[in-house]
Amino acid sequence: MSSTVDKTMGDSKAMDDKYNVEAAEVLANEAQHLPITEAAPIYEQLLTLFPTAAKYWKQYVEAHMAVNNDDATKQIFSRCLLNCLQIPLWRCYIRFIKMANESKGLEGQEETRKAFDFMLNYVGADIASGPIWMEYITFLKSLPALSTQEESQRMTAVRKVYQKAIVTPTHHIEQLWRDYENFENSVSRQLAKGLLSEYQPKFNSARAVYRERKKYVDEIDWNMLAVPPSGSYKEEVQWMGWKRLLAFEKGNPQRIDSASSNKRIIFTYEQCLMYLYHYPDIWYDYATWHAKSGSVDTAVKVFQRALKALPDSEMLRYAYAELEESRGAIQPAKKIYESLLGDDVNTTTLAHIQFIRFLRRTEGVEAARKYFLDARKSPNCTYHVYVAYAMMAFCLDKDREIAHNVFEAGLKRFMHEPLYILEYADFLTRLNDDRNIRALFERALSSLPPEESVEVWKRFAQFEQTYGDLASMLKVEQRRKEALSRTGEEGASALVGSLQDVVSRYSFMDLWPCSSKDLDHLARQEWLAKNMNKKVEKLALPNGPGSVDYTGLISNSTVSAKVVNPDVSKMVIYDPRQKSGIETLPSTTSSGVPAAYSNLSNPVAAIVGGGMTNAFDEILKATPPALVAFLASLPVVEGPTPDVDVVLSICLQSDIPAGQTGKLGTSSVQLSGGPAPTTSVLSGSKSHPIPSAASFKTTRDRQAGKRKDLDRQEDDETATVQSQPLPRDVFRMRQIQKSRGGTTTKARGVTTSQTGSASYGSALSGDLSGSTG
């Protein structure tokens, strides 16, 4: 073999993913330019990975046809035709048949005719099969007729093919109908009238179905290679497209007979499996559809093909065994279960359990018991096998002694498994054996490490809450707290009783002694208490100021190490209430900017951290003074989402600095003389904040000169909205807006357009709405 092929094969072996579509396309393209002796191994490798890739089969067979290797060509066609129902591949097949029989006379013509019938029987329902029907008709018309009888037989054969073609929804259905009309009129106009009137409704129905079918067919990518599902969007789109097409065909939209409809459904499934070859659900749907249609033998064959395509699919094996068992074929079903057991080294626990159940159903109690005794010796046997067999003996065989003995035998081996302890406890609960239940819990808790005993303690406490007296109930709960307090960082705090313990003791199923709101409140309070304690402990560490570590806020020793926890190093508890410890009188800097940082700094950090530098304060120091003054005037509200109307009503009464327009690229900020109201003042009411005294004074001053200011506002077109006092008279304001309309402000080369409308209610009522554009 040449170095080129060696390099190509080496590249293919180096592929990270053996189903790499791009690498497969490169191999196929290179193989087309190689001699057949060198290209054959490449095609074999590709077709091993993609056995339903019709385009690779077509390239492979054409390479053999090019060198007239008829035997190899026939062998390849026998391997691929029935599994690859694609029109280009089948047209290649009919071309080969015609070439092979063109010199054989009448015998060759008969072989070609049989090949056409064979082809149309398999792919004649394809939406792209129109050219094949036309080619077959052309072939029939070309056959010699030496007598009137042979001519009549030829016309009859052509008519039958036409009548099948015009009721098949294909891309060429209208052209086929026109050809059929011409054909019948050329034979006999009188006979044509009756035949055309008979087939006109059938043709109309097929044409309507074709238009609907085309919508579903156009959603499918016919160049896609069959690869295992990876969950990509493209694969999901293809899967949904095939599902819709299958549902469409199952609905029998053309209202044809059931045999013809089933044939189309089978054809659609076979085409679907060319592209969704590695999808077990498609194989299962195909097999179960056959079984429901009464073709159980065909369903069995589909399952056999499915296991050949997906040999590692346990789901399909169980489904196949279920089908065999349901029709009474016990031995074939048993062979399937034995294939799941394998060599006992790689046998799964589930395979043991399902085989025990199968033997119990089909061969009786003794066969199941015998296999259980063998299965428990397997190195892969887990506690699940003991639980499954014990519960089967208890529920099906009604033998509580055997079930109890099985659980006891398993306890010696699986005492370290909390789930096994819980299953055993459930079994004893069914027996109403409270003495042994308590003994089981005590034995298990004495051997289990605290971090693995959480669920066992929980079940023990639930048992005592349900069946024990008050003293035993409280005792178990206290022991549980003492044991679990050593597993976390809470320490002694975990030993303190809470109201949640009462809720737990006096609830039943979905009935609670409190409302859901109370439950949320209790959970929140417990979380807050733990977190606040954690923060105090962290702050007491001598790490210096500003080095608070919040990573220990949330600790749960039962959480697996694989769980990725969020970074809570910057997390603080939200508290909307104003703290008296951070209330600071407003002051004014040298530039006239109100010292609003005290109002905007984080209250929780200020209380807990004392004089620590807060990151939020650092941000405020870099914030423009005008923006800081504006933020300082905003009220403190409850929750993360404030009431917009309340915020706007406060803004309307505040002295917000107005930007003065100057030269291009420069601006000056004129600040109000009054100090910004503190947060504590503004937060006097939750829903209706009360402005400060300074705000009322400023408001009264504005009211006194309101009329004069409004008159100046009408004349001065360059004034900004913020620089004008807002009128209290709604009717007067609407008159001003109506007279002004759209305002265009031009200032030294800078043009600003403002058009807007606003309607304001009472500034303190919160009824406010506005729109600006």
Side-chain angles (χ1 to χ4, degrees), residues 16 76 108-109 273 325 332 350 367 404 406 435 445 459 486 494 576 616 657 688 725 738-739 746:
D16 295 334
I76 294 172
Q109 293 173 356
L273 288 171
E325 185 181 352
L350 183 61
H404 191 276
V406 171
R435 183 172 61 86
L445 292 172
R459 185 68 62 86
R486 296 190 293 270
F616 188 54
H688 301 290
K738 185 176 180 181
S739 62
K746 298 181 179 180

Side-chain angles (χ1 to χ4, degrees), residues 253 285 354 520 562 679:
D285 290 346
Q354 296 302 334
D520 294 340
K562 296 181 180 179
T679 309

Side-chain angles (χ1 to χ4, degrees), residues 489-604:
E489 300 179 1
E490 290 84 358
S493 63
L495 301 177
V496 180
S498 66
L499 194 57
Q500 283 188 332
D501 298 334
V502 178
V503 173
S504 176
R505 286 196 293 269
Y506 293 97
S507 61
F508 180 75
M509 296 177 67
D510 59 342
L511 304 177
W512 303 87
C514 59
S515 64
S516 59
K517 184 177 181 180
D518 292 335
L519 284 176
D520 294 340
H521 176 73
L522 289 174
R524 175 70 177 173
Q525 291 299 321
E526 183 180 14
W527 186 83
L528 287 173
K530 291 181 180 179
N531 290 342
M532 293 301 292
N533 292 336
K534 289 297 176 185
K535 286 194 290 186
V536 171
E537 293 173 7
K538 293 295 181 181
L539 289 173
L541 296 177
N543 293 334
S547 59
V548 180
D549 181 12
Y550 296 99
T551 56
L553 286 178
I554 304 173
S555 64
N556 188 354
S557 60
T558 62
V559 178
S560 171
K562 296 181 180 179
V563 177
V564 179
N565 293 313
D567 180 13
V568 294
S569 60
K570 303 299 182 183
M571 182 181 293
V572 293
I573 302 173
Y574 170 74
D575 188 354
R577 295 170 297 179
Q578 179 64 38
K579 307 298 183 182
S580 58
I582 65 167
E583 189 170 331
T584 309
L585 292 175
S587 61
T588 305
T589 63
S590 58
S591 60
V593 180
Y597 301 117
S598 60
N599 295 338
L600 297 175
S601 61
N602 193 299
V604 177

Side-chain angles (χ1 to χ4, degrees), residues 156 207 225 342 433 503 507 584:
T156 302
R207 182 175 58 180
L225 290 177
D433 191 353
V503 173
S507 61
T584 309

Side-chain angles (χ1 to χ4, degrees), residues 625-759:
L627 180 57
V628 172
F630 169 71
L631 293 176
S633 67
L634 295 178
V636 173
V637 295
E638 287 194 357
T641 306
D643 188 342
V644 178
D645 292 339
V646 174
V647 175
L648 289 178
S649 65
I650 294 298
C651 294
L652 291 175
Q653 302 172 67
S654 302
D655 296 329
I656 302 175
Q660 302 295 328
T661 58
K663 294 182 179 181
L664 184 62
T666 63
S667 62
S668 61
V669 180
Q670 183 179 358
L671 299 175
S672 60
T678 64
T679 309
S680 59
V681 176
L682 293 176
S683 59
S685 173
K686 292 183 179 181
S687 57
H688 301 290
I690 302 174
S692 63
S695 298
F696 279 119
K697 185 176 183 301
T698 307
T699 303
R700 286 195 300 270
D701 293 340
R702 287 202 303 268
Q703 284 288 89
K706 178 182 66 175
R707 185 65 57 189
K708 188 181 299 182
D709 290 338
L710 289 178
D711 293 336
R712 284 200 302 267
Q713 186 182 27
E714 291 179 351
D715 299 330
D716 187 8
E717 292 293 330
T718 64
T720 60
V721 177
Q722 288 86 351
S723 64
Q724 302 300 325
L726 295 172
R728 297 280 183 168
D729 188 344
V730 177
F731 179 76
R732 176 60 178 165
M733 184 173 182
R734 289 178 179 172
Q735 283 183 321
I736 295 171
Q737 291 173 337
K738 185 176 180 181
S739 62
R740 293 179 63 187
T743 303
T744 303
T745 304
K746 298 181 179 180
R748 299 186 181 180
V750 180
T751 304
T752 304
S753 296
Q754 274 192 340
T755 59
S757 63
S759 60

